[in-house]
Amino acid sequence: MNEQEALSAVKEALKPQRYEHTLRVTETAEQLCHVYGGNLQKIRLASILHDYAKYRSASEMRNTVKEEADLPDQLLDFGDELLHSFVGAFYVKKELGIADKDVLQMIASHTTGREQMSLEEEIVFLADYIEPGRTFPGAAEARKASKVSLEAGCLSALSQTITFLVSKRISVYPDTFAAYNYYIMKRK
Ligand code: DGI
Ligand code: FE
Ligand code: FE
């Protein structure tokens, strides 16, 4: 599947606002790639497809998790908001025929992050958080940190996500904590 085909597929799957977000994530990821390196073609394809499952119903995604051995059952115990990343990678493979493991991994980890993300995963994870349409308090801090290093950017995004979830008394997925700890321990 080439970029144009991926763009048509997501345009069909997403609402206009979400499609615009997707384009901004792709542009932001490309800019990060120019600074930090990585495979631009894979980064762009994963960015285009990262929110492919955003509007699938929670019940459909939960059923997919139950049926697919590759998707961890513990996903069912955390908020349905995070399902679209893990399940999205599965749908993109099954429905769009994307076989590239690096691209699928970038989609799967874009919401929670994880320990030892690849350079490309870090870029998509961060671009999703700092794209210019993100106006929440804290996006500016993460943008600033992203100019220092990819690790600093990811740490900023992760710590702010955890703080946000805790303030709303929402459960935090273990990968999110693991990613946060990973970047804290990697510092200095
Ligand atoms: O899909 P986007 O809106 O572009 O952004 P995203 O993929 O980062 O999804 C954001 C949502 O995911 C938001 O509702 C918070 C939720 N989320 C992120 N990390 C976690 C989480 N929810 C839970 N329960 N646990 C997490 O660790
Ligand atoms: Fe998302
Ligand atoms: Fe997104």
Side-chain angles (χ1 to χ4, degrees):
M1 162 159 291
N2 64 32
E3 270 193 21
Q4 278 314 315
E5 291 166 331
L7 282 165
S8 318
V10 292
K11 197 163 197 177
E12 203 149 302
L14 302 179
K15 295 179 185 171
Q17 265 191 333
R18 179 62 47 179
Y19 182 69
E20 293 299 319
H21 158 73
T22 293
L23 297 180
R24 291 191 300 268
V25 171
T26 306
E27 176 62 31
T28 303
E30 174 153 1
Q31 287 165 7
L32 290 168
C33 178
H34 288 318
V35 177
Y36 294 115
N39 182 317
L40 181 58
Q41 205 186 335
K42 292 187 187 200
I43 287 169
R44 281 187 56 94
L45 187 59
S47 300
I48 290 168
L49 296 169
H50 83 280
D51 274 340
Y52 176 70
K54 191 74 180 180
Y55 296 110
R56 299 298 180 94
S57 71
S59 59
E60 182 189 358
M61 291 192 286
R62 293 179 70 84
N63 281 335
T64 301
V65 172
K66 286 174 200 159
E67 284 162 12
E68 296 306 321
D70 290 350
L71 291 166
D73 279 348
Q74 73 164 349
L75 281 171
L76 300 170
D77 300 333
F78 295 85
D80 291 337
E81 285 292 323
L82 60 75
L83 294 175
H84 76 280
S85 51
F86 293 89
V87 178
F90 176 78
Y91 291 157
V92 155
K93 182 178 180 188
K94 192 175 158 202
E95 298 171 11
L96 307 180
I98 302 288
D100 189 303
K101 292 220 163 39
D102 300 334
V103 171
L104 296 174
Q105 185 57 59
M106 286 181 245
I107 298 168
S109 64
H110 88 262
T111 301
T112 59
R114 64 180 185 117
E115 281 177 90
Q116 296 190 308
M117 285 194 277
S118 68
L119 172 67
E120 285 87 354
E121 280 178 273
E122 291 179 330
I123 285 179
V124 175
F125 173 79
L126 193 51
D128 189 35
Y129 199 83
I130 66 168
E131 61 93 346
R134 300 296 205 189
T135 53
F136 46 78
E141 185 204 292
R143 277 183 202 113
K144 211 168 140 192
S146 308
K147 294 201 168 81
V148 177
S149 68
L150 267 186
E151 289 83 2
C154 289
L155 178 59
S156 172
L158 285 159
S159 50
Q160 294 191 73
T161 295
I162 290 171
T163 303
F164 166 80
L165 293 168
V166 170
S167 78
K168 301 271 183 211
R169 300 293 183 267
I170 299 172
S171 57
V172 180
Y173 194 66
D175 286 5
T176 307
F177 277 133
Y180 167 80
N181 287 335
Y182 171 79
Y183 289 110
I184 283 287
M185 289 171 202
K186 242 188 125 184
R187 246 182 352 173
K188 73 200 169 258

